[in-house]
Amino acid sequence: MILSTPFHFLLSAVVLLGPQAAAGVSSCPADNPLNIKAPHDNVWKPLSEEETLGVQEWLYRQKELNLTQFAKAGLSDNSIWLIELITPNKTSVLPYIDSSATKRASASKPARYARAVLFNGGYSTPHVKELQVGPLPISSKTKATPFSYIYQNSTVSGVQGDGIFPFNSRTTYSIESAALDAFIVSFMTKIKAATNDLIGGSYTGSDTDKITYSWQGPNSFDGNWRRYWLFWMGKGFGAQYLSPTGFFVYIDTSGSDASKCRVFNHHRLAPRPQPNRRIVYNHQVYQSVDDFLNAWKGGSIKRGKKANLDDDKWATRDKMGKERPLDNRSTPRNVNFDGSRIKADREEGYVEWMGWSFYTGFNRDTGLTLWDIRFKGERIIYEISIQDAIAQYSGNDPIQSTTAYLDRHYGIGEETKQVLMGYDCPHGALTLNSSYYSDSTYSVNPDAICIFEQDLGFPTSRHADSTNGWYGSTKGTALQVRTMAAVYNYDYMFSYVFYLEGTVEILMGASGYLQATYWDGTQDDYGTRIHDTTMGSVHTHVINYKVDLDVGGTANSLQTIDLVQEDVNLPWFDEDDPQTKQLRLQKAWVSNETSFSVQGNNNNNGQRVLLIGNKEKKNSWGLEKMYRIMPGYHTIHNAVKGSVRLLNSAKWGEDDVYVVKHKDTEPSSSTTWNQQMPIYPPVDFSKITTPAESIDQQDLVVYLNLGMHHVPRAEDTPNTLFTDSRSSFFIAPFNYFDDEPSRDIRNAILLAQNAKTGKYEVSESGTGDIEKTCTPRTDFTPAYVGQIDNDLSGSA
């Protein structure tokens, strides 16, 4: 099966017409967007299945790589893990997309290259290798070179060349998962009687097992070793997340020889005794599987309260409680009486709406990206993309005290699945597919990206003037671009909201399950008890975004406006008037790369305005045309600094906003491999900001953080709520225009009071004020397809 494009269009709703249709009332127009042709090819479009297959087959033909077909490969073989597009450099893209249509035909479109990641377990020094393969499509000109120019550190001792990373920094791919599970079954079967007695279940690889496992991260500090803390919980809907047992095992899976996996003990590695971290139960540490088993047999184990693994109803999403009045009626829905106002080129992943336009891209690590974002024909933003996401926990047990996830490693894009229309997004939304390749499988998620116009429920602007007898209002609508990513227990909602007056909102929220832990009295300082033996641990989410602004071109500068208090006497005051205390604007241009806290005590009550724009471009009033970077819902940064688990791998999380100079060699604040290499990460963000370079009339990039400090509560059971977990930033025009840019909107009204009658009459009507009737859809059957996997392992 070859899909011509990962942006194949699909609307997953079954449409039935109501009884009014038979009475002669026409049905409402289809919600399909208007089909248009994109101004140019989407140079950021992910590799198609055909392109990906071509790269895979070409790599297998390169004998010097000594690759084993994935279906036949083991951990100690060389295999292909990932193939995806290398995003073309901005300096190569701009001459192409900024040329006129007549000149673009002769302009040089950036060549397409693939990033190929090899897990080379078959060498004496196993390693991960990244290659740049291209140009594409495959031809006699195609070659493979090390993909290293975006990394600060990509060499491994004992392996020649660059674009090389420690084998122990790899993701836990499917080949390893099978070997890992077999090893875990081997030692858990040995102690099944003990675990059945102490925690109410065993793990033997059987479908009847009552417990299952997961692990924390990072699993290394520098890539020299690879160790997992396993934690055990109930098996089944909800229980997998909310029924922890308080049983933990530390295992070592370093290297590429699965036969050497072992329950870990520092005594084997150190010349002098070290704290043992092999099996932990009820705060008791055992040096080996045998020591644990002997303690159980001898009766010396101090028993904890056993979790009730037979009662998981409370942890599921099954409906509970008395039905609320009128909840048997359906919820409100939007109806497009005139049809959709969205235009799209689905093949190219290009969208237009109310003066806005942009292209879409997608990748395995970070998911949806937006490119070449223009308002009224002028590019405001070159790129908006997620970079990484911290989830750092605290607690008095081996898991919560060692967990500091960087979700890019696990694949935010890989976990971006289909949205359910009518719930995740409204019926009738434009939907686009996502796609990625890993483990020799090309995966497509239908309807993974939804795009829809939203009634805001409040006007864009209004004024009621009772003195002069008039009223004016502009309807409030916005375009939402949304994905949902379920990264293990957490469900992230990522939205980009485009407003009529030129503002972009970057919005995220978190739902899903807590990574719960076993509750006892020693945990009270680290979270909240939410059930009999279950606790939600305090943790912090920090999601890092890249916003590459081009305000009036690529030559941009950063200005701050501080609101400072002044005491002043003015000549028109009476002699007995005291000094006036008031605010004064203190403006300054920032010379070098820097960071800011945008709210809270570090920013003096939010009294600082951050602006980016071109000093040479002015509006009609002589003011620099700028865009403001402004916090919306709560914005935060990581409160834990200096922990070895994120030592240098997530320096971007230590403040709210960073402004740096754009470089093609620094396309991201993080990498796939930073999770497992916090001491020596391939990208250390502090090296991007230090030494601080000039940002005066340079191409500037803003890195900003969203998220929350999550102190769990009983109401997080079974799922955390989007209601109060949302976080956002606004990118808003600031003197970029001469006046308010939504004045051209026709969906607005102006009323004037009749001097004789005193009644208000329509002076200027809105487009939507004409009475219109149509039969809306009366039934939508939820349709969920799930991920479509095409195994390419037999293609070469």
Side-chain angles (χ1 to χ4, degrees):
M1 175 182 64
I2 298 294
L3 297 179
S4 61
T5 169
F7 296 106
H8 174 70
F9 175 75
L10 179 65
L11 285 174
S12 55
V14 177
V15 181
L16 298 179
L17 297 180
Q20 290 184 7
V25 180
S26 62
S27 60
C28 294
D31 292 315
N32 295 6
L34 299 174
N35 294 323
I36 58 172
K37 179 65 177 174
H40 55 76
D41 291 347
N42 185 347
V43 298
W44 310 278
K45 183 168 59 174
L47 297 180
S48 67
E49 183 174 334
E50 186 174 11
E51 288 176 304
T52 304
L53 179 58
V55 173
Q56 175 187 274
E57 292 178 329
W58 185 88
L59 288 169
Y60 280 133
R61 292 196 297 269
Q62 310 311 302
K63 300 302 182 183
E64 69 277 10
L65 297 178
N66 192 26
L67 291 171
T68 300
Q69 294 239 0
F70 196 86
K72 302 175 183 178
L75 195 60
S76 58
D77 293 312
N78 305 331
S79 60
I80 304 171
W81 172 62
L82 182 74
I83 298 173
E84 66 180 11
L85 178 74
I86 295 176
T87 302
N89 292 333
K90 182 178 181 181
T91 54
S92 300
V93 170
L94 290 185
Y96 171 70
I97 66 173
D98 286 345
S99 59
S100 65
T102 54
K103 294 181 179 180
R104 191 174 295 124
S106 60
S108 177
K109 186 171 77 170
R112 287 168 73 79
Y113 286 84
R115 174 194 180 208
V117 180
L118 312 182
F119 285 175
N120 287 337
Y123 287 81
S124 57
T125 302
H127 57 274
V128 174
K129 185 172 188 175
E130 292 206 21
L131 296 173
Q132 176 176 284
V133 180
L136 303 179
I138 298 296
S139 69
S140 59
K141 296 180 181 180
T142 300
K143 61 182 179 179
T145 57
F147 184 48
S148 59
Y149 72 89
I150 67 169
Y151 300 115
Q152 301 157 355
N153 169 32
S154 64
T155 59
V156 171
S157 177
V159 182
Q160 290 186 341
D162 49 15
I164 308 294
F165 306 92
F167 194 63
N168 291 319
S169 68
R170 68 192 181 276
T171 60
T172 306
Y173 63 130
S174 59
I175 292 173
E176 181 178 11
S177 295
L180 180 63
D181 189 67
F183 165 62
I184 292 170
V185 166
S186 70
F187 68 78
M188 287 298 291
T189 300
K190 183 177 180 179
I191 60 175
K192 66 179 182 179
T195 59
N196 272 319
D197 177 41
L198 295 173
I199 63 175
S202 61
Y203 188 79
T204 64
S206 168
D207 290 340
T208 61
D209 290 337
K210 294 181 68 174
I211 59 174
T212 187
Y213 63 89
S214 189
W215 57 81
Q216 48 56 263
N219 309 116
S220 184
F221 293 158
D222 55 10
N224 288 325
W225 45 267
R226 186 175 179 86
R227 304 170 196 150
Y228 297 81
W229 268 114
L230 304 178
F231 57 104
W232 299 85
M233 70 288 285
K235 186 178 180 181
F237 294 115
Q240 180 175 343
Y241 310 104
L242 296 182
S243 293
T245 65
F247 186 73
F248 311 94
V249 183
Y250 199 28
I251 62 173
D252 189 315
T253 65
S254 302
S256 60
D257 187 345
S259 68
K260 294 183 179 179
C261 292
R262 58 193 173 90
V263 177
F264 183 72
N265 182 355
H266 262 301
H267 287 301
R268 297 187 183 184
L269 302 181
R272 58 182 184 275
Q274 295 285 333
N276 173 53
R277 290 179 258 176
R278 300 193 72 179
I279 291 182
V280 175
Y281 166 72
N282 197 23
H283 304 289
Q284 299 159 94
V285 182
Y286 298 94
Q287 296 183 2
S288 67
V289 171
D290 288 340
D291 284 352
F292 167 75
L293 200 55
N294 291 334
W296 172 72
K297 290 178 179 178
S300 62
I301 285 184
K302 180 182 177 182
R303 293 172 176 267
K305 185 174 182 179
K306 193 185 302 184
N308 184 358
L309 302 182
D310 296 318
D311 174 25
D312 68 351
K313 182 79 172 177
W314 66 276
T316 71
R317 287 193 54 90
D318 293 351
K319 296 182 180 71
M320 294 183 179
K322 183 180 178 181
E323 181 179 315
R324 300 187 190 187
L326 302 184
D327 196 30
N328 60 331
R329 298 182 178 182
S330 61
T331 59
R333 296 193 190 110
N334 286 347
V335 176
N336 290 325
F337 287 98
D338 287 327
S340 175
R341 304 200 301 173
I342 301 171
K343 302 177 183 179
D345 183 336
R346 307 175 188 107
E347 180 76 15
E348 295 299 330
Y350 174 76
V351 176
E352 291 182 358
W353 174 82
M354 293 292 109
W356 285 104
S357 66
F358 56 83
Y359 289 81
T360 57
F362 194 88
N363 65 74
R364 178 263 173 197
D365 276 12
T366 63
L368 176 66
T369 55
L370 300 184
W371 300 93
D372 194 23
I373 300 169
R374 298 178 184 240
F375 185 59
K376 297 189 175 182
E378 297 183 10
R379 182 169 56 250
I380 306 298
I381 301 170
Y382 177 76
E383 174 190 358
I384 300 181
S385 58
I386 297 167
Q387 299 295 292
D388 214 328
I390 295 170
Q392 184 162 12
Y393 288 74
S394 300
N396 188 33
D397 65 54
I399 292 298
Q400 310 295 54
S401 62
T402 64
T403 294
Y405 297 124
L406 291 176
D407 284 338
R408 178 176 186 150
H409 179 80
Y410 307 98
I412 296 170
E414 182 175 335
E415 299 302 336
T416 298
K417 309 297 185 183
Q418 179 181 355
V419 295
L420 185 60
M421 307 306 286
Y423 289 87
D424 298 327
C425 298
H427 289 294
L430 162 65
T431 58
L432 304 174
N433 294 354
S434 70
S435 62
Y436 69 94
Y437 168 101
S438 71
D439 291 1
S440 199
T441 299
Y442 189 88
S443 300
V444 176
N445 282 287
D447 300 353
I449 304 163
C450 70
I451 303 171
F452 59 93
E453 183 172 5
Q454 174 190 25
D455 186 332
L456 294 175
F458 59 85
T460 296
S461 63
R462 78 181 292 275
H463 183 64
D465 187 340
S466 59
T467 302
N468 297 297
W470 64 272
Y471 168 91
S473 183
T474 301
K475 286 190 176 181
T477 64
L479 187 76
Q480 286 248 17
V481 183
R482 178 179 295 165
T483 59
M484 298 279 194
V487 186
Y488 185 57
N489 56 308
Y490 263 102
D491 291 57
Y492 292 111
M493 176 176 65
F494 301 117
S495 295
Y496 303 102
V497 189
F498 296 88
Y499 292 93
L500 293 172
E501 84 293 349
T503 293
V504 181
E505 182 182 11
I506 302 170
L507 172 71
M508 63 76 55
S511 187
Y513 282 90
L514 298 169
Q515 178 180 288
T517 194
Y518 183 84
W519 175 86
D520 61 38
T522 68
Q523 292 274 31
D524 284 344
D525 288 341
Y526 302 103
T528 305
R529 183 183 183 185
I530 57 174
H531 205 66
D532 193 26
T533 57
T534 303
M535 186 187 93
S537 300
V538 61
H539 57 282
T540 294
H541 295 277
V542 184
I543 291 81
N544 187 236
Y545 287 82
K546 176 184 180 182
V547 184
D548 184 340
L549 284 152
D550 286 351
V551 183
T554 57
N556 284 179
S557 297
L558 171 65
Q559 185 184 57
T560 61
I561 301 178
D562 288 320
L563 281 65
V564 298
Q565 181 176 305
E566 69 172 3
D567 298 335
V568 61
N569 284 315
L570 296 171
W572 46 84
F573 286 179
D574 291 332
E575 291 183 0
D576 57 352
D577 277 348
Q579 283 187 326
T580 287
K581 295 181 182 294
Q582 62 183 11
L583 292 177
R584 183 188 185 109
L585 302 182
Q586 185 172 288
K587 301 179 181 180
W589 294 101
V590 180
S591 300
N592 296 321
E593 295 171 322
T594 188
S595 68
F596 298 92
S597 294
V598 296
Q599 61 184 21
N601 293 333
N602 290 337
N603 189 29
N604 299 319
N605 193 35
Q607 293 171 221
R608 171 167 286 169
V609 177
L610 300 180
L611 303 171
I612 285 183
N614 189 332
K615 289 180 178 179
E616 304 303 321
K617 299 290 180 71
K618 309 282 180 75
N619 67 8
S620 296
W621 322 123
L623 301 172
E624 291 85 2
K625 301 178 70 167
M626 312 286 274
Y627 257 71
R628 181 179 181 181
I629 305 160
M630 183 173 64
Y633 295 106
H634 57 275
T635 57
I636 60 110
H637 56 265
N638 198 5
V640 177
K641 295 185 173 77
S643 167
V644 69
R645 301 180 196 285
L646 291 177
L647 186 62
N648 297 312
S649 57
K651 289 292 186 180
W652 46 262
E654 295 184 356
D655 214 336
D656 295 338
V657 175
Y658 295 83
V659 181
V660 301
K661 179 181 176 181
H662 169 270
K663 295 180 181 177
D664 285 342
T665 55
E666 296 174 347
S668 181
S669 63
S670 188
T671 74
T672 313
W673 321 115
N674 274 29
Q675 168 75 100
Q676 312 293 20
M677 300 178 67
I679 296 178
Y680 305 112
V683 171
D684 180 345
F685 187 70
S686 67
K687 294 181 180 179
I688 294 177
T689 59
T690 307
E693 297 185 49
S694 171
I695 54 172
D696 182 49
Q697 291 299 91
Q698 300 291 328
D699 191 354
L700 300 186
V701 174
V702 176
Y703 288 96
L704 54 84
N705 290 318
L706 302 179
M708 63 173 174
H709 301 299
H710 193 173
V711 179
R713 56 184 178 171
E715 289 81 3
D716 284 317
T717 306
N719 286 168
T720 296
L721 303 173
F722 281 129
T723 313
D724 57 357
S725 70
R726 288 170 295 169
S727 178
S728 68
F729 259 98
F730 290 95
I731 311 297
F734 195 95
N735 297 323
Y736 188 86
F737 301 97
D738 293 340
D739 59 5
E740 199 274 286
S742 70
R743 293 180 67 182
D744 58 359
I745 294 298
R746 271 32 181 186
N747 274 279
I749 193 167
L750 182 63
L751 305 178
Q753 190 175 32
N754 187 303
K756 294 181 179 179
T757 66
K759 294 181 178 180
Y760 282 84
E761 300 171 350
V762 175
S763 176
E764 293 182 5
S765 64
T767 302
D769 296 326
I770 302 172
E771 183 177 345
K772 295 184 179 179
T773 302
C774 64
T775 303
R777 300 168 180 181
T778 58
D779 178 73
F780 294 85
T781 302
Y784 199 81
V785 178
Q787 182 167 285
I788 301 170
D789 293 329
N790 190 12
D791 184 1
L792 304 184
S793 60
S795 300

